[in-house]
Amino acid sequence: PHSRAPTMPFVATGGDAPPAPFKGQTLLLPAVSFGNVGQMAVDLLVHTQQTRASDDTAFRMVGHFRSPHLLPVAGNDALPLRRRPGTLAVSGEVWQAKGGGVTVLQLRSRHVRGRGRALAAEVVGWAAEAGFAAIVCATGADGMMRRDGQLSGPQLRYVANAAYDAAPVAALGWGALEAPPSAASVHEALMSYGVSAGGGGIGAVPIAAGGAG
């Protein structure tokens, strides 16, 4: 039997402008989770920056993320400003800021049942091999899990592992996620808010491996 060589999940679009090197950039992706909060936040960021075509912060699509752990999906273009009308949107799209610094992996479908950790490991493995400096994962949490002190005031929270400098995030006015005293790890803290492989998508694994959310 022939053994299959592992393939890189990133496939470039082959356009006139190849992607800039990923080394040293920040990888931003959503977890398909409560209310699709992460996906909508990523789309909003790309769409907003796309209107600034002359700006180095504008995003352009540079490729796709191909994974056996993602459910296949195809639909009408979610961001009509970017390309010709009618261009298909698929399950894994890779966008990059023109000036570099940030690459976005937009996930438009959830993982195959039972493969959440496998997908997260694949993303983290690609990020490490490509040389990304950090992974930022946007996700939603179960509002029913909020503590009394979280019912009012800013609703945005972040979680960072020890390798990530969270000072820039804190400077935005975001608060660190209040972990219960019983939480002994990032996974347990996130799971106390329903953020797990089931409820909060794949958010917990990239954060525990090397990033923030």
Side-chain angles (χ1 to χ4, degrees):
H2 295 284
S3 59
R4 238 181 174 182
T7 58
M8 279 289 288
F10 173 72
V11 180
T13 55
D16 296 332
F22 297 128
K23 186 174 178 60
Q25 293 200 25
T26 295
L27 176 63
L28 170 65
L29 73 153
V32 183
S33 59
F34 294 98
N36 300 103
V37 172
Q39 291 167 300
M40 290 192 293
V42 169
D43 262 353
L44 181 61
L45 171 66
V46 173
H47 185 276
T48 300
Q49 297 305 117
Q50 194 67 11
T51 61
R52 305 171 182 175
S54 61
D55 196 322
D56 279 348
T57 60
F59 283 90
R60 60 191 177 90
M61 188 171 159
V62 296
H64 298 92
F65 189 84
R66 179 179 57 189
S67 171
H69 310 304
L70 269 180
L71 289 171
V73 67
N76 194 36
D77 191 358
L79 298 168
L81 288 175
R82 63 184 178 178
R83 298 171 293 184
R84 296 186 305 273
T87 301
L88 287 179
V90 295
S91 54
E93 300 177 347
V94 181
W95 295 77
Q96 194 173 66
K98 288 182 179 179
V102 179
T103 293
V104 168
L105 168 56
Q106 175 62 299
L107 301 177
R108 300 198 179 281
S109 66
R110 62 167 288 138
H111 55 77
V112 176
R113 187 176 181 85
R115 295 192 192 177
R117 288 185 174 275
L119 174 60
E122 185 176 42
V123 171
V124 171
W126 170 56
E129 186 173 343
F132 284 101
I135 302 172
V136 176
C137 186
T139 186
D142 189 346
M144 292 174 55
M145 301 292 189
R146 289 180 296 177
R147 280 61 172 168
D148 289 346
Q150 299 170 327
L151 296 177
S152 60
Q155 298 298 296
L156 295 174
R157 296 290 190 274
Y158 72 88
V159 178
N161 66 10
Y164 186 80
D165 179 12
V169 181
L172 296 173
W174 295 16
L177 183 69
E178 300 88 341
S182 60
S185 66
V186 171
H187 281 283
E188 290 185 16
L190 290 171
M191 286 177 67
S192 71
Y193 289 91
V195 182
S196 65
I202 63 170
V205 178
I207 294 169

